[in-house]
Amino acid sequence: MLTNSEGEFLGYRRKDGKVGVRNHVLILPTITCATQTAQRITDLVHGTVSFVHQHGCAQVGVDYEQTFRTYVGMGKNPNVYGVLVIGLGCETHQARSVAGEIAKSGKRVEVLSIQEHGGTLTSIAEGAKKAAQLVQEASAQMREWCDFSELIIGTECGGSDACSGLSANPAVGAVSDMIVERGGTSILAETTELIGAEHLLANRAANDKVRKRVYEVIQAMENRSILMGVDIRTGNPSPGNIAGGLSSLEEKSLGAANKAGKSELKELIDYAEEPTEKGLVWMDTPGHDIEQLTGMVAGGAQIVLFTSGRGTPTGSPIAPVIKIATNTMMFDRMQENMDLNAGTIIEGKETVQDVGRRIFDEIALVSSGKLTKAEILKQHDFGIWRIGPTF
């Protein structure tokens, strides 16, 4: 039995009091030069996950800080039992600094430097030993009953179509309200794809500070494209969005905003930042699917709800991603990637609340251990939003 009559789920209680829905050992490379070593260790040791990226050196200022915050957030995510942090040795983002911040959460953290250990092969051997020990420790931890108030749910839409704002996104909005009503947290992201709908969210802000911040982040996002000498609307909607029936960024935004449900907007946080408030939270991210997904998971999201009209295999190395189709035709075509179908709303077979309830029930099952399609296919996508040049 994965859930009980009170609607609780079976999760992993961490030392800092937070709850994970998975029990991963993360092999975390702080520099692109260490990603292949990390992958080799992951290949050798069952129960470990890792990710490939091109970051970690020649970054300065706020760009350095954001990448550092993302590394630390991935390691601190409640779905992670312990972390092996791997660095080359000479990079800007030092492995020991990242490990030190992660360790503040009470997690088991090990550190490995490729240069100090004499190269790739010896580092793989030493890293595999450390990882194996962490996995064995993790395997001894048992699940226990946990409340939905301890969940942070990330919400996302990618490959949107004309059905997104009518079916899957409103259904996710209904789920978002359910989570908030139970004392949990729901993250709305994709600042790029809220342009034109910002006033609707500002009207639901908890206070004047949040309301002002809504307009500030929207303006900042538009200013980035102006500084590049381009119109943000040349890249959004994407060709796939247009082929799916969306006519403009504003139309796409009105549909994307439906993922926020009807709850009060409690706060607006930076990329990969952990919410300080319970309830509906907006994280300032780009519209890029993998970058926003990474930001929400680094911010503590244990599960992500991902709606799509065109279809996508996207997943995360440490957080289960529940894929929700906006139309039945695509769901039937891509069942190996999509977990649930909200196209029944378009067909008049179910209401938005009906599908919302189905998604909520799926969250309970996945939180207790049911694998999503992306997890089964090992779709470990990772990408950090860069906000500065490399020097």
Side-chain angles (χ1 to χ4, degrees):
M1 185 175 66
L2 298 180
T3 59
N4 65 16
S5 58
E6 281 74 42
E8 296 175 316
F9 64 92
L10 288 165
Y12 297 97
R13 180 73 60 183
R14 303 305 182 196
K15 290 183 178 179
D16 61 359
K18 295 177 181 176
V19 171
V21 303
R22 294 295 182 266
N23 202 33
H24 298 303
V25 168
L26 176 63
I27 314 300
L28 197 165
T30 60
I31 174 69
T32 183
C33 313
T35 57
Q36 294 306 311
T37 298
Q39 284 294 304
R40 298 297 188 277
I41 294 170
T42 303
D43 292 341
L44 284 169
V45 183
H46 175 73
T48 61
V49 292
S50 188
F51 47 78
V52 175
H53 63 86
Q54 64 185 65
H55 312 289
C57 204
Q59 293 178 256
V60 299
V62 293
D63 187 55
Y64 166 89
E65 293 169 3
Q66 182 157 286
T67 296
F68 185 87
R69 186 169 67 245
T70 304
Y71 290 154
V72 172
M74 292 293 283
K76 289 175 64 177
N77 187 288
N79 290 348
V80 174
Y81 169 83
V83 188
L84 171 60
V85 183
I86 301 180
L88 177 59
C90 57
E91 63 272 16
T92 306
H93 287 87
Q94 286 287 298
R96 285 184 175 82
S97 297
V98 172
E101 286 300 311
I102 296 172
K104 291 179 181 178
S105 66
K107 292 185 188 295
R108 284 272 285 110
V109 184
E110 297 283 350
V111 183
L112 183 67
S113 168
I114 296 172
Q115 290 172 346
E116 290 179 10
H117 280 82
T120 299
L121 297 179
T122 52
S123 295
I124 291 172
E126 180 63 21
K129 291 178 183 177
K130 292 178 180 291
Q133 179 62 42
L134 287 172
V135 168
Q136 189 164 49
E137 293 174 12
S139 68
Q141 184 164 5
M142 305 299 291
R143 289 182 181 266
E144 60 184 71
W145 291 114
C146 302
D147 192 78
F148 274 91
S149 63
E150 301 184 271
L151 284 181
I152 299 177
I153 303 296
T155 65
E156 180 172 358
C157 52
S160 301
D161 69 349
C163 296
S164 296
L166 302 173
S167 60
N169 286 358
V172 167
V175 177
S176 176
D177 289 338
M178 292 178 196
I179 295 293
V180 170
E181 287 167 4
R182 287 162 175 78
T185 302
S186 176
I187 298 178
L188 177 70
E190 305 170 280
T191 300
T192 316
E193 296 169 13
L194 294 172
I195 294 172
E198 65 270 21
H199 61 290
L200 300 176
L201 292 159
N203 289 341
R204 290 158 50 188
N207 52 56
D208 289 339
K209 179 181 178 182
V210 175
R211 186 176 299 107
K212 180 181 178 182
R213 181 94 167 108
V214 166
Y215 291 109
E216 288 175 347
V217 298
I218 289 291
Q219 189 61 59
M221 187 64 77
E222 292 210 75
N223 286 344
R224 290 186 183 97
S225 67
I226 293 171
L227 288 173
M228 293 177 63
V230 298
D231 184 345
I232 200 168
R233 291 157 183 79
T234 61
N236 215 327
S238 69
N241 297 149
I242 295 169
L246 291 173
S247 63
S248 66
L249 177 56
E250 288 77 9
E251 182 184 16
K252 185 178 182 181
S253 295
L254 290 170
N258 280 331
K259 299 194 304 297
K262 299 177 181 179
S263 300
E264 183 179 60
L265 181 62
K266 291 293 188 178
E267 67 174 334
L268 208 159
I269 58 177
D270 290 334
Y271 183 86
E273 188 175 34
E274 188 174 344
T276 62
E277 298 274 356
K278 293 276 193 176
L280 178 64
V281 174
W282 175 349
M283 179 181 286
D284 184 17
T285 78
H288 187 282
D289 291 345
I290 311 304
E291 291 179 358
Q292 63 180 286
L293 173 61
T294 299
M296 290 189 291
V297 174
Q302 301 108 315
I303 290 181
V304 176
L305 305 178
F306 192 131
T307 71
S308 183
R310 307 292 290 172
T312 175
T314 304
S316 164
I318 64 173
V321 178
I322 300 173
K323 234 73 66 51
I324 306 158
T326 71
N327 65 87
T328 301
M329 184 179 298
M330 185 275 287
F331 177 76
D332 289 341
R333 187 175 66 251
M334 294 189 67
Q335 285 195 40
E336 63 188 42
N337 297 114
M338 309 305 295
D339 296 286
L340 298 172
N341 179 28
T344 51
I345 297 171
I346 303 296
E347 297 165 338
K349 296 177 181 178
E350 287 185 292
T351 66
V352 167
Q353 288 298 322
D354 290 336
V355 175
R357 184 72 237 184
R358 278 203 289 120
I359 298 170
F360 185 84
D361 291 342
E362 187 73 5
I363 290 172
L365 293 173
V366 170
S367 295
S368 296
K370 180 183 178 180
L371 296 179
T372 64
K373 300 288 182 67
E375 289 181 289
I376 292 169
L377 297 176
K378 298 181 180 180
Q379 191 77 30
H380 295 167
D381 300 310
F382 180 86
I384 301 174
W385 182 25
R386 290 290 303 273
I387 52 175
T390 300
F391 289 99

